[in-house]
Amino acid sequence: MIAVDWGTSSARAYRLAPDGAVLARREGAGGILRVPEGGFPAALTAMVGDWLADGETRVLLAGMVGSRQGWQEAPYLACPAGLDALAGAVVPVPFPGATVRLVPGLSAEDAAGTPEVMRGEEVQVVGTLARPDEDALICLPGSHAKWVRVAGGRIAGFTTHMTGEAFAALKEHTILGRMMTGTAEAGPAFAAGVARSAEGGGLLHHLFGTRTLGLFGRLAPEDAASYLSGLLIGHEVAAALTGGAALTGGAALTGGAALTGGAALTGGGARVEPALVRPVVRLVGSGPLMALYGRAIALKGGEAVPGDPDAAARGLALIGERIQWA
């Protein structure tokens, strides 16, 4: 089978063995925004035509290729949803010479009832799970970072944070960027930004401090991007860990710790408080953001565990096993 994770700005294609092993892979900048109207069949042929000529007959697509701006819109599937639900909701796509299916994106609502959507991250999430009935908290860093709660192997809900896009906009298009050089790194300035995010005043007030600290010589230009990144990611991580994204035994994580079970009474009637544990966050992705998020999660009292870098390929393979291709 051929599996393609086809996003807005790039595409990753995998040739998979019957057991899901990756036989070959290729990645390019041919995201959906580069494909002209009506050009998706030709784009797919250009991407994997040699694999098709070599005998592959099944192609499974995921990501923004299934959006309204993509090849064909695949309606969102409401959470909770797992492997079987995703496989049962794939959308057929006409294509000469192969059977092509599109994995739907997922939708959910936050605590206030505001819609949430994802396309592509769902295959990474199911691909990173170690067990089909696993509970997990998964973070997928990016321009629009996702925090996903998995319960019993199904995606129960998620939140989206425009942290990466906000960082780029602030750095490139506001006065804050006038005093910045270099890139964001997970060093002392980044840690200082994360620490500041825990203080009062709110994000908008904290952001202006990036400028004033520089004006008074307390933040070097080469450290300003790291400080700004720490501020933004720090606020995101705090919101994700305290806003109910992570649940352990039904208790929301607060202050970087989770309550395991309820408080118990001893034989003498004394109340024993529940034990505090560090929330474990599985990070799925690649590149510099992984180190930044891992550092921020640790500074907020959590434990970041790297996920499978080939989670998308594994997730697509697992979905493909469950599809009725005929």
Side-chain angles (χ1 to χ4, degrees):
M1 186 184 82
I2 297 172
V4 183
D5 181 11
W6 206 336
T8 302
S9 58
S10 64
R12 291 177 294 171
Y14 305 90
R15 189 175 186 181
L16 304 177
D19 65 355
V22 177
L23 301 175
R25 74 186 72 207
R26 55 188 57 155
E27 182 172 357
I32 66 165
L33 295 183
R34 293 178 176 267
V35 180
E37 185 175 353
F40 281 96
L44 180 62
T45 300
M47 194 186 311
V48 298
D50 56 332
W51 295 346
L52 295 170
D54 199 32
E56 296 291 347
T57 61
R58 295 175 175 176
V59 181
L60 186 57
L61 309 175
M64 290 298 289
V65 68
S67 70
R68 195 165 301 175
Q69 293 74 37
W71 189 343
Q72 180 173 319
E73 187 172 10
Y76 290 109
L77 184 64
C79 290
L83 280 169
D84 291 337
L86 288 167
V90 295
V91 174
V93 178
F95 181 78
T99 302
V100 179
R101 297 289 185 268
L102 263 173
V103 178
L106 295 183
S107 66
E109 291 186 349
D110 68 10
T114 301
E116 289 276 1
V117 295
M118 67 165 60
R119 284 197 188 275
E121 294 92 349
E122 69 284 341
V123 300
Q124 294 177 275
V125 170
V126 298
T128 200
L129 298 178
R131 303 187 316 275
D133 61 346
E134 189 171 0
D135 297 338
L137 175 62
I138 299 173
C139 174
L140 300 98
S143 295
H144 299 168
K146 303 285 186 183
W147 287 75
V148 183
R149 181 166 54 86
V150 178
R154 298 195 302 169
I155 297 174
F158 56 92
T159 57
T160 307
H161 304 256
M162 291 182 61
T163 307
E165 189 168 353
F167 173 82
L170 289 165
K171 185 174 184 291
E172 300 298 331
H173 301 291
T174 75
I175 198 169
L176 299 184
R178 300 291 181 89
M179 299 175 67
M180 287 185 186
T181 61
T183 59
E185 299 180 359
F190 178 84
V194 174
R196 176 62 170 152
S197 73
E199 298 173 355
L203 174 59
L204 296 178
H205 171 60
H206 292 167
L207 288 174
F208 193 69
T210 307
R211 173 169 170 77
T212 56
L213 287 170
L215 287 174
F216 284 83
R218 293 163 58 185
L219 182 64
E222 60 269 24
D223 292 331
S226 298
Y227 181 82
L228 175 62
S229 179
L231 269 181
L232 292 169
I233 296 177
H235 274 279
E236 174 191 328
V237 171
L241 294 184
T242 61
L247 301 178
T248 303
L253 298 177
T254 57
L259 299 182
T260 58
L265 295 177
T266 65
R271 185 177 179 85
V272 179
E273 292 300 323
L276 294 177
V277 297
R278 299 178 70 194
V280 177
V281 180
R282 196 168 305 169
L283 282 177
V284 178
S286 60
L289 283 177
M290 295 288 282
L292 296 175
Y293 273 78
R295 180 64 173 146
I297 290 167
L299 289 170
K300 290 292 186 180
E303 178 184 357
V305 178
D308 185 351
D310 281 334
R314 182 170 182 267
L316 285 164
L318 290 170
I319 295 169
E321 292 175 358
R322 292 160 169 80
I323 292 175
Q324 297 295 324
W325 289 93

